[in-house]
Amino acid sequence: MANNNNPSSLRWTLLRQALLRRPPPQPTSAAEGQSQNTIKRISRKAMQGFNMIPYHLVNEDSEEEAIILNRRNGNYNSKDSTLCYTLPIHGNGAPNNKLFLTQRVNNVADISDLEFCNRHDIDNTGLVCQWPSEDVLAYFCLSHADLFRSKRVIELGSGYGLAGLVIAAVTDATEVIISDGNPQVVNYIEHNIDANSKAFGATKVKSMMLHWNQDEISNISYSFDLIIASDCTFFKECHKGLAQVVKNLLKKVGPCEAIFFSPKRGDSLDKFLEEIKENGLQFSITEKYDAEIWNRHQRFMNGDDHDAWPSYEKDHSYPLLVRITP
């Protein structure tokens, strides 16, 4: 008999329920009842990662944070939570900078999310959680602020927008566009841009809904110095469109590059890079790009931080640095 508690099987059952738009059948056995209960619990991935940027759940104990909460509560959603990220900004006596990100509460998902994604032919990965590579990308941008100074930057598949917001807050970039293909996610991005607008100085920041398979992006084609992305190479059916978007967004004159952080995940990253080559682009892969991230990776591999990330596997969890150039 098949294992009905297999996570992949349960996710397909969850999707089937969404597509049929009707309640699931009542269980006819104890095993089926256990399977249905498991379905309710697996809709979201728990938030685990390298945690390179300190954060905490916003509460009303702080006057500043209470203001943020009240602003959010004007359009309150019980499925949301707000996290405060503290960015260590050094030099000139500058205090630590704070960014507030509203996102879905861990372990909360809705059948309606999958129904919505099915109607619009999009995925819901941006709603699932803050993916580990996003945290690493944000830390990389924070550690290499000079790379973005006076540059026009776009983040692809941004999710809640942490990396793009970090660039806008600390690097003196000229403009930062934070994009995603899911309109629900873009709503969160817009909210997070508004909540942090005072941190951006002279940098222009805006959201954009951008599908990688859309034919017309002429209004922004060949106009970016830098593209950033994380955990965007998982779905092989998206590789061709993503590679073409990268080619079409990088400017044609002057130095430019795309910076991707992505685990290998079997042959998924390799297949994407084949598409990159097909589009006449070059790339390099770096495994050890930051001493602290590598140290944490080794601790996870050795089980030293087992409680923090018990399911850690290098192939699926450790993001490689991929730099793409014309």
Side-chain angles (χ1 to χ4, degrees), residues 27 42 50 65 79 97 108 111 115 123 125 127 132 137 154 158 193 195 208 218 237 245 265-266 273 278 290 306 316:
I42 65 167
F50 290 81
E65 295 182 2
K79 294 185 290 187
N97 212 6
V108 172
I111 293 284
E115 294 175 330
D123 68 73
T125 52
L127 286 175
L137 172 61
I154 185 169
S158 304
I193 290 174
M208 174 179 289
S218 59
E237 60 268 27
V245 163
R265 290 202 178 97
L273 294 177
E278 286 291 323
D290 182 272
H306 182 74
H316 287 271

Side-chain angles (χ1 to χ4, degrees), residues 191-209:
H191 173 92
N192 291 332
I193 290 174
D194 179 65
N196 296 284
S197 57
K198 293 182 179 179
F200 302 149
T203 300
K204 298 178 181 178
V205 188
K206 64 181 181 180
S207 65
M208 174 179 289
M209 189 166 75

Side-chain angles (χ1 to χ4, degrees), residues 11 44-49 106-107 128-130 132:
R11 288 189 186 279
R44 286 172 53 84
K45 170 184 175 295
M47 185 175 183
Q48 294 174 321
N106 278 344
N107 300 318
V128 170
C129 66
Q130 190 79 34

Side-chain angles (χ1 to χ4, degrees), residues 234-245:
F234 180 76
F235 295 111
K236 294 178 182 178
E237 60 268 27
C238 298
H239 288 171
K240 184 178 293 292
L242 178 56
Q244 290 174 347
V245 163

Side-chain angles (χ1 to χ4, degrees), residues 27 53 65 80 102 106 135 140 162 167 207 241 247 255 293 315:
I53 301 177
E65 295 182 2
D80 293 349
T102 295
N106 278 344
D135 171 62
F140 178 88
L162 176 62
I167 293 173
S207 65
K247 179 179 181 179
I293 293 173
D315 183 73

Side-chain angles (χ1 to χ4, degrees), residues 223-290:
S223 62
F224 291 96
D225 302 286
L226 285 155
I227 298 171
I228 61 168
S230 61
D231 262 316
C232 286
T233 64
F234 180 76
F235 295 111
K236 294 178 182 178
E237 60 268 27
C238 298
H239 288 171
K240 184 178 293 292
L242 178 56
Q244 290 174 347
V245 163
V246 170
K247 179 179 181 179
N248 292 336
L249 291 179
L250 288 175
K251 66 183 187 179
K252 289 187 172 182
V253 179
C256 59
E257 69 173 324
I259 297 172
F260 276 58
F261 279 89
S262 179
K264 284 186 65 66
R265 290 202 178 97
D267 65 350
S268 182
L269 178 59
D270 292 335
K271 292 294 186 182
F272 169 68
L273 294 177
E274 289 177 10
E275 293 291 343
I276 287 295
K277 288 193 291 185
E278 286 291 323
N279 278 272
L281 300 172
Q282 304 176 53
F283 65 86
S284 65
I285 303 175
T286 305
E287 183 178 56
K288 298 179 182 179
Y289 45 82
D290 182 272

